[in-house]
Amino acid sequence: MKSEYSLFLATATKDLEVSVIKKDDGLITGRKEITGIKSNLTLELLISLIDDACSFFDIKLKDVESFYTLLGPGSNTGLRLALTVIKTVYALNPNIRMYGINTLKVYLSNREDIAVLSDRKRNIYVGHYENNEFITEIIRREEISDHALFRGRKVVIEKADCNSLSLFENHEKEEIVVVNKMVERRDGFEDYSSREESFLPIYQFQI
């Protein structure tokens, strides 16, 4: 029975989170998450967390075959760190699979909901579907309370995003652990394996 390992890196949002899943014959047979890490992002910390998650299965980073990451919006430092790790592995083994997705798109299991992520000034990135198209935009904090976009819609927020939680304290909310959503919605990621040159943060194009 062949085992395959996938690594999920949530480095763009408020908590630093990693997850490794093990598949045997296409079925998930093991999973290890490390979540709730609140710290300044460093490459050394990220590598340490990856090593800890991999060690649960007695494997090394080189044994991972598929990599999933967020492409933004979110922490510029976090986006670059995750891509640096993946592209370094790719340089050593171009047979790995590389997957990316808009940060806010991965939040939404229901297209009627709206995803939010605060920035340092408590403005928010908003992700939502309109006519089957996923749209990302920025809304200033002073406009949030009266903005028509949020009326009658559930807001999906990372549990660690305290700014967004306070701004939407009177709204219907779903609080999520981002890396869990990544694993749950892995089939919605875009495959960049054959076009490594396009495996870049979304902010370079949209934000």
Side-chain angles (χ1 to χ4, degrees):
M1 183 165 56
K2 184 182 188 304
S3 297
E4 299 179 1
Y5 298 92
S6 299
L7 172 65
F8 296 77
L9 301 177
T11 61
T13 50
K14 304 306 180 185
D15 271 355
L16 174 58
E17 302 166 348
V18 302
S19 180
V20 174
I21 66 172
K22 177 186 178 184
K23 284 185 177 181
D24 291 306
D25 293 338
L27 300 176
I28 295 178
T29 58
R31 180 168 162 182
K32 173 63 177 177
E33 283 94 24
I34 299 177
T35 63
I37 306 298
K38 294 177 171 35
S39 178
N40 293 329
L41 287 169
T42 66
L43 184 58
E44 291 79 10
L45 174 60
L46 181 56
I47 293 297
S48 176
L49 293 178
I50 293 171
D51 286 344
D52 287 347
C54 286
S55 67
F56 179 82
F57 297 103
D58 196 26
I59 62 170
K60 301 294 185 183
L61 181 58
K62 65 180 178 61
D63 299 311
V64 174
E65 295 163 295
S66 299
F67 293 78
Y68 295 77
T69 192
L70 305 172
L71 297 178
S75 163
N76 292 346
T77 300
L79 294 170
R80 292 195 299 268
L81 283 178
L83 288 169
T84 295
V85 169
I86 298 171
K87 289 186 174 184
T88 298
V89 176
Y90 175 79
L92 298 172
N93 178 12
N95 294 316
I96 66 168
R97 309 297 296 181
M98 302 184 295
Y99 301 91
I101 197 170
N102 181 299
T103 302
L104 294 172
K105 191 174 184 179
V106 85
Y107 281 35
L108 298 182
S109 301
N110 185 336
R111 288 191 172 206
E112 300 302 315
D113 298 340
I114 186 165
V116 300
L117 171 65
S118 68
D119 67 12
R120 292 180 180 178
K121 296 180 181 179
R122 298 184 71 196
N123 303 314
I124 60 169
Y125 294 109
V126 175
H128 60 98
Y129 283 93
E130 187 173 305
N131 297 323
N132 289 321
E133 179 183 0
F134 188 77
I135 297 171
T136 306
E137 56 187 298
I138 297 175
I139 297 178
R140 298 187 182 281
R141 60 180 175 177
E142 60 269 19
E143 300 172 350
I144 292 170
S145 59
D146 297 322
H147 205 291
L149 187 62
F150 303 108
R151 293 174 191 163
R153 302 178 79 169
K154 183 168 67 177
V155 180
V156 184
I157 304 172
E158 180 189 11
K159 285 184 177 180
D161 190 352
C162 297
N163 288 339
S164 290
L165 289 171
S166 63
L167 287 169
F168 292 95
E169 60 184 354
N170 296 321
H171 286 72
E172 180 185 3
K173 295 185 293 294
E174 177 187 355
E175 298 178 28
I176 64 168
V177 175
V178 175
V179 78
N180 289 344
K181 280 287 187 180
M182 292 174 69
V183 174
E184 173 190 324
R185 307 200 65 239
R186 59 193 177 278
D187 291 341
F189 280 67
E190 189 170 349
D191 190 345
Y192 288 87
S193 306
S194 61
R195 48 194 179 96
E196 183 267 344
E197 70 283 353
S198 299
F199 197 39
L200 298 167
I202 287 175
Y203 68 76
Q204 293 194 4
F205 305 105
Q206 300 181 18
I207 301 299

